[in-house]
Amino acid sequence: LRELILAGNKLPYLQHQLFCSLTELKELDLSGNALKGIKINIFVKLQKLQKLYLNNNQINAIAPRAFMGMKSLRWLDLSHNRLTSLYEDTFLGLLSLHVLRLSTNSITSLRPRTFKDLQFLEELQLGHNRIWSLAERTFDGLGQLEVLSLNNNQLQDIKAGAFLGLYNVAVMHLSANCIKTLPEYVFEGV
C-alpha cells in the first residue's frame, strides 16, 4: 500500500500499532477527523512516508518527538487544528521536510530553536494564529526557507534579529497584524 486516505471520518485517536505494517506507505491523509493529539511512535515505521495530512482535526497537543524516524517526510499539514504551543523537539527528526503548514491554529508564541531540524524547509505557513511576539533567532536553522507566512496574527513585538538566518526568503507575509513599530535592523540578513 502506497497511499491511504482516511479523511473525513470520526477518528478521535490513533492506536499505537495502527500503521506498523504499512512500511511502503508514501502518503497518508487523516484530515477532517476528530483527532485530539499525536502521540509518540504512532508514525515510527513510516520511514518512506512523504506526505502527511493532519489538517482539519481537533489536535491540541503533539508529543515531543512524535515525528521521529520519518526521514522521508516532505510535506506536513497541521493547519486548522487547536495547537497552542510548539516545543523545541516537536519537529525533531524531520530532516527532509519542505512544507510545514501550521496556519489557523491558536499558537501564541514561537520558541527559538523550534524549527532547528528543518534545514531543507522551503515553506512555513503560520498565518491565522495568535502569535504576538518574535524573539531573536526565532527561525534559526531555516536557511533554505523561501516562503514565510505570519499574516493574520497579533504580532506587535518583533525583536531585532528575529529573521536572522533566513537567507533565501523570497516572500514574507506580515499583513493583518498589530505592528506599530519595527526595530531598525529587523530585516538584517534577509
Side-chain angles (χ1 to χ4, degrees), residues 26-165:
K26 298 220 189 274
E27 191 167 322
L28 178 58
D29 189 345
L30 291 161
S31 63
N33 276 282
L35 297 175
K36 302 211 181 334
I38 303 298
K39 295 180 180 173
I40 194 166
N41 293 330
I42 296 291
F43 305 115
V44 75
K45 298 285 186 185
L46 303 180
Q47 295 186 10
K48 294 183 180 178
L49 196 71
Q50 295 177 2
K51 291 186 176 183
L52 178 57
Y53 298 92
L54 292 164
N55 51 300
N56 294 90
N57 277 286
Q58 299 166 25
I59 300 169
N60 59 25
I62 299 173
R65 303 171 187 225
F67 304 109
M68 201 67 177
M70 302 183 77
K71 58 185 178 189
S72 300
L73 197 67
R74 297 172 58 86
W75 180 288
L76 177 57
D77 193 343
L78 284 158
S79 63
H80 297 272
N81 276 293
R82 297 178 181 171
L83 291 170
T84 57
S85 301
L86 302 171
Y87 300 98
E88 191 173 310
D89 48 4
T90 299
F91 303 111
L92 202 65
L94 294 178
L95 303 175
S96 299
L97 201 64
H98 287 257
V99 176
L100 178 56
R101 296 201 165 161
L102 291 160
S103 56
T104 316
N105 276 283
S106 297
I107 300 166
T108 56
S109 64
L110 299 172
R111 293 171 174 84
R113 302 185 47 78
T114 298
F115 307 109
K116 69 178 183 299
D117 266 13
L118 309 181
Q119 58 193 11
F120 295 110
L121 197 67
E122 296 171 356
E123 180 181 323
L124 179 57
Q125 299 283 341
L126 286 160
H128 296 272
N129 276 287
R130 297 179 182 160
I131 302 166
W132 63 274
S133 175
L134 295 177
E136 185 178 348
R137 296 195 173 275
T138 297
F139 303 102
D140 214 11
L142 298 180
Q144 299 300 313
L145 198 68
E146 296 173 8
V147 177
L148 175 61
S149 293
L150 285 159
N151 56 297
N152 296 88
N153 275 283
Q154 297 169 8
L155 278 174
Q156 51 188 310
D157 183 25
I158 302 176
K159 301 290 185 206
F163 304 114
L164 273 174

Side-chain angles (χ1 to χ4, degrees), residues 158-164 172 182-190:
I158 302 176
K159 301 290 185 206
F163 304 114
L164 273 174
M172 188 182 295
L182 289 168
E184 192 172 339
Y185 298 105
V186 72
F187 298 111
E188 187 176 20
V190 175

